[in-house]
Amino acid sequence: MTAYLLRRFLSLSLSLVAASLVIFLVMEVVPGDPASFMMGINADPAAVVALRTQLGLDDPLPLRYLSWVAGLLQGDFGVSYTYRVPVSELISERVAISLPLTLYALALSTLIAFPAGILAAAKRNSAADVSVMGATQLGVAIPNFWFAMILVLVFAINLRWFSAGGFPGWEAGFWPAIKALTLPAIALALPQASILARVMRSSLIDTLDEDFMRTARAKGLSRGQALRRHALRNALIPVLTIIGLQFSFLLAGGIIIENVFYLPGLGRLVFQAITQRDLIVVRSVVILLVFAVIVVTFLVDLAYAAADPRLRRRRA
Amino acid sequence: MTNNPIMAAAVSILALSLGLGVAPAMAAKMDATIGMQLEPPNLDPTGGAAAAIDEVVYANVFEGLTRFGADGSILPALAESWEISDDGLTYTFNLREGVKFHDGSDFNADDVKFSLDRARADDSTNAQKALFADIASVDVVDPATVKVTLSKPNGSFLFNTAWGDAVIVAPETAADNAAKPVGTGPFSFGEWVKGDRVDLVRNPDYWGEAVRLDKVTFKFISDPTAAFAAMMAGDLDAFPVFPAPENLVQFEADPRFSVIIGSTEGETILAMNNKKAPLDNIKVRQAITHAIDRQAIIDGAMFGYGTPIGTHFAPHNPAYVDLTAQSAYDPEQAKALLAEAGVSDLTLTLKLPPPSYARRGGEIIAAQLREVGIATEITNVEWAQWLEDVFKAKNFDLTIVSHTEPMDIGIYGREDYYFQYGDADFKAIMADLANATDPAKRTELMQAAQKKIADDYVNGYLFQLARTGVADAKLKGLWPNSPTQANDMTGVYWEE
């Protein structure tokens, strides 16, 4: 197990180095000078030059890359060009919204998908199965931004139960904050739940057809007992993969939802930073997301091992 | 909407699972939440050009020697009065006494000297450094008197000191103004939640008339649909520059809201690359201007909001000359001019930045140009790309952009400005204008400048951008017009 962990750690570090280089270079070829963006079209050219020097944009490329990476290693993400505050501060403020939103959406999605998927698989071809499958078909097909707008229309504009968006901050209390995240979480969760429910159903059905299930039934277990004790655990592997993928997708990909609900999350930070050419923010957030994806993939691997002892033994 | 069975089902399921009640009624309101589309990159108006900076802090947090009134007039601010020497070279400002910065320190002549010297310094990052170019020296006479000596007379000097870029800052706090602005205004800085909002709170020690709101929150909502939803849901009290003109009709029909239409300093133009063939031929440029039906663009792209212009000047300015007839819509004349210029099978690039006036307007202009035989290749670009490609590299034939700075006709005197005009005669007019202090003479010169660029068909002049605002019907005192980019909250109050 130690050797395995070491190997994983090494490949993780290599991926990060490669990613940092690619991200840095890609940002360099994107047209657009942060200084001229900040100064606008009526600005004095001398002032733009002064600002470029002040921001360190005239330093040679390798020097800027190395100083960025050196900073990252010490947990220093640099200073945002536009906001002029440490990037780490910006990111942590945004993660405080995006991470809970992601987890909230993931929890909702799992809570909806598991029972729905299990029900559909257990009662295959019944009316329940058909309605679950129909609903999930719809859930996959509906774009989440459209669904988000419908939620705003119904619950914010017509019923006035919720704000149309925004975030009061965690200092406003747990419930107000959770309330502000509820509509966005639902909008994010429903399409994910639909996918997850379908995966859960087909995975369970595959497992139910396996030999060991017949054996379990032959030993005298009821259909429900066999499903709970043996099938669920085995059907979890593909489901875990999807949950892992969904986590990364939601964390970075909540950007449209964050725009619809004007939540100051990570997605919106990147979006805004790209349009403003706040390259140092873009680079840092992207490398952080890459890191998050790698870590989550690693955790999902560990979860496989927990769910399936055979995988654990093979690796040990 | 609930006639739809799927919607009805979704609504009832969500309603049941959430079971949340209606918000309690509000007590007498002493605060206002104002929507803005763009978030300011920082809060220092002397260190960046973003309009959003002034939209938050101008007149609210920071004040200059003079200031813009709601109608664009120049009013006294931190300078109570001033004397101008007969040769127009010396301005003696009498400062208000008893004024304090938000950190409690006193405002005096030293702060004025510091601010002006800082703005015009060699390493200054003030985006409007040119405003201070004629200052030869700033001298402190006594704590309440400052003498500014100019190197040559400048008729716009009091106008220049009213800009957000010319606000007075304190030496101890100037460096931190980007994140924690400290000014002398009626509101002091409260909190900035990046990506979300800026809070300003009433300054109890304000020297002037006390403001009627305890707190103002500027909330940043970039998406037009979200902006609409936030207004409708009552999350915002006003959106002074509402980003979606197509929704205004709906607000107008709703008694909860008032729609405030005013004018801005934004001349929206079809800029042409004057040095690039065949646009270096005045006949081709003239042909393009005659091919354009301004009203069709205003109706189609701006839902009818906007005033046609024929030159680069705001129609609400007393010196404005209506020159729209000179480039009136006349496709036949346009075709004739193109034939005269010997141009056929013309294909031009049209690069469009993100605002809807440009994207929507560009499509309409492309169709209008096609009518006279000019094909266009449309490229949509984002702002940073526009700045790099169009503005800096001048790699374009046509582009659409709104120039929103007040009185910015001077850009036509810049040789290497992106539309590459820089005509010598025009520069001479500008030089005379800078030296003129007599109002009649100034008007005459400003009109000559307007005529000169219209005669040279430098750009296609489309329309003056309207300021289309939406507010709670009970919120009063908002600026209808934008003589400068600001949300002056000093006169805003709730009607009982």
Side-chain angles (χ1 to χ4, degrees), chain B residues 143-204:
Chain B
T145 317
V146 173
K147 194 173 84 183
V148 179
T149 311
L150 304 183
S151 52
K152 57 179 204 265
N154 182 340
S156 357
F157 188 65
L158 292 174
F159 172 86
N160 291 357
T161 53
W163 281 53
D165 306 77
V167 297
I168 304 303
V169 296
E172 313 83 58
T173 47
D176 301 324
N177 277 341
K180 269 203 192 92
V182 173
T184 56
F187 291 97
S188 60
F189 172 70
E191 191 193 6
W192 182 3
V193 181
K194 306 258 166 23
D196 188 38
R197 65 178 187 272
V198 170
D199 292 333
L200 304 181
V201 291
R202 181 208 296 264
N203 167 15

Side-chain angles (χ1 to χ4, degrees), chain A residues 32-33 37-39 41-44 47 82-83 94 150-152 155 160 162 164 167 260 262 268 272 277, chain B residues 7 14 20 39 41 49 125-127 194-196 226 230 235 256 382 384 387-388 391-392 405 411 414 417:
Chain A
D33 169 26
F37 185 90
M38 290 170 65
M39 300 304 262
I41 61 174
N42 217 357
D44 194 307
T82 36
Y83 286 132
R94 303 306 182 93
I150 296 296
L151 289 178
V152 170
F155 293 101
R160 302 259 212 139
F162 289 89
F167 188 71
V260 173
Y262 50 100
R268 238 182 85 181
Q272 196 181 0
R277 290 299 182 272
Chain B
M7 266 315 302
L14 287 170
L20 290 158
E39 178 175 18
T125 56
N126 192 304
K194 306 258 166 23
D196 188 38
D235 298 345
R256 283 189 293 154
E382 32 154 356
L387 285 169
E388 191 76 20
F391 190 72
K392 226 178 185 176
E405 307 288 0
I411 53 177
R414 292 198 202 167
Y417 206 62

Side-chain angles (χ1 to χ4, degrees), chain B residues 86-155:
Chain B
D86 290 337
D87 58 3
L89 286 176
T90 315
Y91 285 69
T92 309
F93 291 98
N94 306 309
L95 308 178
R96 257 176 236 281
E97 293 185 64
V99 176
K100 282 187 186 305
F101 280 98
H102 298 144
D103 63 354
S105 64
D106 288 323
F107 156 82
N108 58 38
D110 290 325
D111 299 309
V112 176
K113 178 173 168 55
F114 168 78
S115 302
L116 295 180
D117 283 345
R118 173 175 174 260
R120 67 197 187 94
D122 285 340
D123 61 348
S124 159
T125 56
N126 192 304
Q128 303 302 336
K129 220 172 144 177
L131 293 175
F132 317 98
D134 293 339
I135 299 179
S137 66
V138 183
D139 300 296
V140 174
V141 179
D142 62 59
T145 317
V146 173
K147 194 173 84 183
V148 179
T149 311
L150 304 183
S151 52
K152 57 179 204 265
N154 182 340

Side-chain angles (χ1 to χ4, degrees), chain A residues 162-184:
Chain A
F162 289 89
S163 286
F167 188 71
W170 290 103
E171 66 276 6
F174 182 73
W175 286 114
I178 282 294
K179 191 179 164 190
L181 292 181
T182 298
L183 290 186

Side-chain angles (χ1 to χ4, degrees), chain A residues 55-133:
Chain A
L55 294 175
L57 288 166
D58 292 328
D59 295 341
L61 210 61
L63 184 71
R64 278 160 56 210
Y65 174 72
L66 289 177
S67 70
W68 176 54
V69 172
L72 284 184
L73 290 176
Q74 298 159 36
D76 174 10
F77 289 78
V79 175
S80 157
Y81 296 155
T82 36
Y83 286 132
R84 314 279 180 96
V85 295
V87 177
S88 52
E89 206 176 280
L90 282 177
I91 293 179
S92 57
E93 281 169 10
R94 303 306 182 93
V95 167
I97 294 169
S98 287
L99 192 62
L101 175 63
T102 301
L103 294 175
Y104 191 178
L106 216 53
L108 279 180
S109 139
T110 318
L111 279 175
I112 300 168
F114 271 50
I118 293 170
L119 178 77
K123 306 240 156 112
R124 204 167 153 189
N125 295 330
S126 70
D129 183 21
V130 172
S131 12
V132 168
M133 283 298 98

Side-chain angles (χ1 to χ4, degrees), chain A residues 19-28 61 64-65 68 283:
Chain A
S20 72
L21 200 60
V22 170
I23 291 163
F24 184 83
L25 291 175
V26 166
M27 292 294 135
E28 287 307 314
L61 210 61
R64 278 160 56 210
Y65 174 72
W68 176 54
R283 288 197 307 241

